[in-house]
Amino acid sequence: MTRVEVETPHGPARAEVHCAEEGRAALLLGHGAGGGIAAPDLVAVTRAATEAGVHVALIEQPYRVAGRRAPAPAKQLDTAWLAVVEDLGERWFADLPLIFGGRSSGARVACRTAEAGAASAVLCLAFPVHPPGKPEKSRLGELDGVEAPVLVVQGERDAFGQPEPSHNREVVLVPGDHSLKADVDAVFRAAQEWLGRVLRLLD
C-alpha cells in the first residue's frame, strides 16, 4: 500500500493505492460525506478488487485532508475527483480501464463524473437515492445518467431509499442499513461477482 498526495484546484487530495498482482483494471473509490476511507464496506471492496486483479485507489477529498468533516459543494468534489483521476491515470494506471466507485456521497461523485472521466464501469455502495424521509428530493438522475455498467450495493433497511435495477444497473440488497456494516461479507461477494463480469467485458 502506498499513500500519494495529489494537488487539485481545491487543495491537496490523498490516495491510498493498493496494487493487485496482475492489474487488469483500476478501481477508484471515494468516501462518504462525513466518513473516511476506512469504512468497512470500502475495505471489503478493496479486498474483493485486489483479489480479482484490480488495483484500488482509495481517494480522500481535499476537505477531509484539511481536517474538515462538512463536505465541500458538489462542483468542488467533482473537480477534485477528476483531478485525482487524471493524475493517477497517468502516474499509476496508464493504459488500464478505470472503474469509478464510492460509498454514499462518493458514489454520487462517481456517477456524476463517470462520463467526463471515461469510466468503464461504476460501483456504488449505499447510493443515497433521497435524504431520509424526503423521497421527493430524488437523486436518481445521477444514477440514471451513467451509461457504463453500474453495480449498486444497498442495505435492505437503508433510510436513503432503494434504486431500481435497469438495463445497465444491477442492484444487490444486503442485510443492514446505510452503513453496510451488518454483513460486509455480502458486500465483498457482490463486488467480487460483479467485478468478475465487468473484467470479462473489458478483456
Side-chain angles (χ1 to χ4, degrees):
M1 187 268 287
T2 309
R3 283 197 177 83
V4 184
E5 195 157 286
V6 180
E7 282 305 322
T8 82
H10 302 292
R14 252 197 317 254
E16 192 178 280
V17 180
H18 298 254
C19 288
E21 277 183 31
E22 47 182 326
R24 296 158 69 188
L27 170 63
L28 297 95
L29 288 171
H31 52 73
I37 58 172
D41 53 350
L42 291 174
V43 172
V45 169
T46 299
R47 194 163 53 88
T50 51
E51 285 182 18
V54 176
H55 301 314
V56 177
L58 292 156
I59 295 167
E60 284 184 277
Q61 285 275 359
Y63 76 91
R64 292 288 300 174
V65 175
R68 295 192 298 275
R69 280 190 70 81
K75 267 210 168 84
Q76 287 187 23
L77 294 176
D78 294 357
T79 302
W81 172 267
L82 286 169
V84 176
V85 167
E86 187 179 1
D87 184 282
L88 295 181
E90 287 173 9
R91 273 202 289 170
W92 285 82
F93 309 133
D95 304 323
L96 285 179
L98 300 181
I99 301 168
F100 287 8
R103 72 162 276 109
S104 197
S105 165
R108 294 182 65 194
V109 174
C111 288
R112 290 195 302 259
T113 58
E115 188 179 357
S120 298
V122 177
L123 196 167
C124 299
L125 299 164
F127 187 92
V129 179
H130 56 72
K134 297 181 179 174
E136 71 283 358
K137 294 196 169 175
S138 175
R139 296 142 176 172
L140 261 182
E142 295 175 352
L143 256 183
D144 291 340
V146 182
E147 295 187 2
V150 177
L151 171 68
V152 182
V153 182
Q154 205 81 349
E156 290 170 338
R157 294 181 286 103
D158 194 330
F160 289 80
Q162 305 288 1
E164 293 294 322
S166 71
H167 70 286
N168 67 326
R169 182 166 72 231
E170 237 177 279
V171 179
V172 176
L173 297 180
V174 297
D177 56 18
H178 193 66
S179 72
L180 295 181
K181 285 178 186 168
D183 191 345
V184 286
D185 287 344
V187 176
F188 173 89
R189 284 193 304 275
Q192 192 177 48
E193 287 169 15
W194 179 79
L195 282 167
R197 288 195 294 279
V198 166
L199 289 171
R200 284 194 291 278
L201 287 174
L202 296 177
D203 289 347

